[in-house]
Amino acid sequence: MLDHVGRRAKEQGVDNIVPSCADAHELLFADDSFDAAYLVTALGEIPDPARTLAELRRVLKPFGRLVVGEFFDRHQIRPSSLISLAEGAGLRVARLYGPPFAYYAVLRPIDA
């Protein structure tokens, strides 16, 4: 996936993306580093999604955004669970798109 993202970015002339492999529970980035982060069909696969959301909140800039996409499978995080997990991590669901079994959610820091 990292190679794919890097290749696609280069093909489209995007030069400010640096694909990185990191532990979702302990991101190796400074606080307030990112404008945006995206997790698509990933949050339900991570052993401790609350910890991951807290780490993503830490590295997001105060007005940053996190986009979570979930599609129905046995590991899916349902929208109601995402809302609770997000609030515990200092995030709020600003927008929710799609039905509960296949949705995208835009999360923002609560204090923004």
Side-chain angles (χ1 to χ4, degrees):
M1 271 316 241
L2 296 177
D3 292 340
H4 174 74
V5 167
R7 193 170 40 256
R8 290 288 309 269
K10 186 176 181 179
E11 288 169 1
Q12 295 180 19
V14 177
D15 62 1
N16 64 346
I17 293 176
V18 180
S20 302
C21 183
D23 182 335
H25 296 142
E26 296 178 23
L27 298 172
L28 303 175
F29 305 106
D31 295 0
D32 304 330
S33 296
F34 292 93
D35 295 315
Y38 301 89
L39 293 174
V40 179
T41 64
L43 192 59
E45 306 296 330
I46 296 170
D48 188 349
R51 187 172 166 195
T52 296
L53 290 174
E55 268 297 276
L56 286 163
R57 169 59 193 100
R58 181 185 67 77
V59 301
L60 279 177
K61 291 180 180 177
F63 291 96
R65 71 182 177 279
L66 168 61
V67 176
V68 173
E70 287 287 313
F71 303 96
F72 185 73
D73 73 6
R74 63 189 178 117
H75 300 117
Q76 183 198 38
I77 302 289
R78 295 291 194 164
S80 58
S81 294
L82 178 64
I83 291 167
S84 292
L85 289 166
E87 288 174 357
L91 298 162
R92 64 181 169 79
V93 175
R95 296 189 84 173
L96 194 60
Y97 302 92
F101 57 85
Y103 68 89
Y104 284 96
V106 178
L107 286 69
R108 300 256 184 203
I110 287 175
D111 51 358

